[in-house]
């Protein structure tokens, strides 16, 4: 779990890649070097759906929950952006890449109602800097979190209801439950 946490948070320019040993059979170099998954897929929900579809092909019983860390809108005034060039676009392109703007709408259009829940608070005017742990920023994040929960209470209740439904007979019991232990 430590390796997973380190790799999942190894945001380039903030933390170094994480080197995880692998067997020579699985990886000829004997290791993999991993960075923050957000560089590839900030909202990995489509990949989770694809994986689940491979495990239970044809299943119509879907519950997909995607938890985001917050989004910051990046404003790019035309008069400034028209002359940026490659160096000027580097920062804004990273912000765009990390936002995955089309993922949520696409999943909502292909999944049945109440089967996809995306929780991604809008961080408003906060800087969005990954390393801003100032007391002011932390207080603002707490307020935004409380506001987000209040605004999304209906969705949180709907999700809670879905989680209480009986398990499908083909669905394995939760790890660590009495049901998972051999009798």
């Amino acid at each position: 779990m430590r390796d997973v946490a380190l790799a999942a948070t190894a945001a380039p320019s903030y933390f170094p890649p994480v080197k995880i040993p692998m067997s020579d059979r699985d990886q000829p170099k004997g290791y993999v070097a991993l960075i923050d998954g957000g560089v590839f897929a900030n909202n990995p929900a489509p990949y989770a759906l694809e994986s689940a579809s491979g495990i239970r092909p044809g299943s119509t019983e879907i519950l997909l929950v995607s938890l985001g860390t917050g989004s910051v809108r990046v404003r790019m005034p035309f008069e400034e952006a028209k002359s940026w060039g490659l160096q000027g676009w580097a920062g804004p392109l990273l912000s765009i890449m990390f936002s995955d703007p089309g993922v949520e709408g696409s999943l909502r259009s292909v999944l049945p109602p109440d089967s996809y829940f995306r929780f991604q608070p809008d961080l408003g005017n906060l800087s969005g800097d990954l390393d801003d742990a100032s007391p002011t920023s932390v207080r603002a994040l707490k307020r935004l979190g409380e506001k987000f929960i209040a605004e999304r209470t209906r969705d949180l209740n709907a999700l809670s209801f879905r989680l209480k439904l009986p398990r499908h007979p083909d669905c394995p019991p939760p790890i660590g439950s009495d049901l998972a232990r051999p009798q």
Side-chain angles (χ1 to χ4, degrees):
M1 291 307 297
R2 183 183 73 92
D3 288 341
V4 170
L6 286 171
T9 58
S13 79
Y14 290 98
F15 300 108
V18 176
K19 188 175 181 179
I20 298 178
M22 301 282 290
S23 73
D24 290 337
R25 181 178 57 90
D26 293 328
Q27 187 56 249
K29 296 180 289 190
Y31 69 90
V32 291
L34 302 173
I35 60 171
D36 180 359
V39 172
F40 175 73
N42 206 38
N43 179 352
Y47 304 100
L49 181 61
E50 180 183 9
S51 230
S53 297
I55 294 168
R56 293 198 41 215
S59 176
T60 57
E61 293 187 27
I62 297 169
L63 178 59
L64 181 55
V65 180
S66 177
L67 305 174
T69 57
S71 63
V72 177
R73 291 194 182 127
V74 178
R75 306 239 185 259
M76 292 175 266
F78 173 76
E79 291 304 320
E80 292 175 30
K82 71 179 184 180
S83 60
W84 277 348
L86 183 60
Q87 188 173 10
W89 273 102
L93 282 176
L94 282 174
S95 296
I96 293 166
M97 180 179 72
F98 286 137
S99 69
D100 285 344
V103 170
E104 186 172 348
S106 296
L107 286 172
R108 289 198 188 286
S109 71
V110 299
L111 293 174
D114 289 332
S115 63
Y116 175 61
F117 292 85
R118 172 70 171 161
F119 297 101
Q120 170 83 322
D122 181 349
L123 300 181
N125 296 328
L126 291 180
S127 72
D129 293 339
L130 294 177
D131 59 351
D132 183 0
S134 67
T136 302
S137 182
V138 170
R139 280 192 301 275
L141 286 169
K142 284 182 179 180
R143 281 193 307 275
L144 282 170
E146 291 164 358
K147 179 182 175 203
F148 183 75
I149 290 169
E151 291 171 349
R152 299 292 301 274
T153 297
R154 184 175 179 200
D155 289 329
L156 290 165
N157 288 337
L159 174 58
S160 296
F161 175 77
R162 288 290 313 271
L163 290 171
K164 290 179 186 177
L165 291 176
R167 297 179 78 75
H168 187 278
D170 294 337
C171 189
I175 295 172
S177 77
D178 290 336
L179 299 173
R181 294 189 187 109
Q183 300 297 322

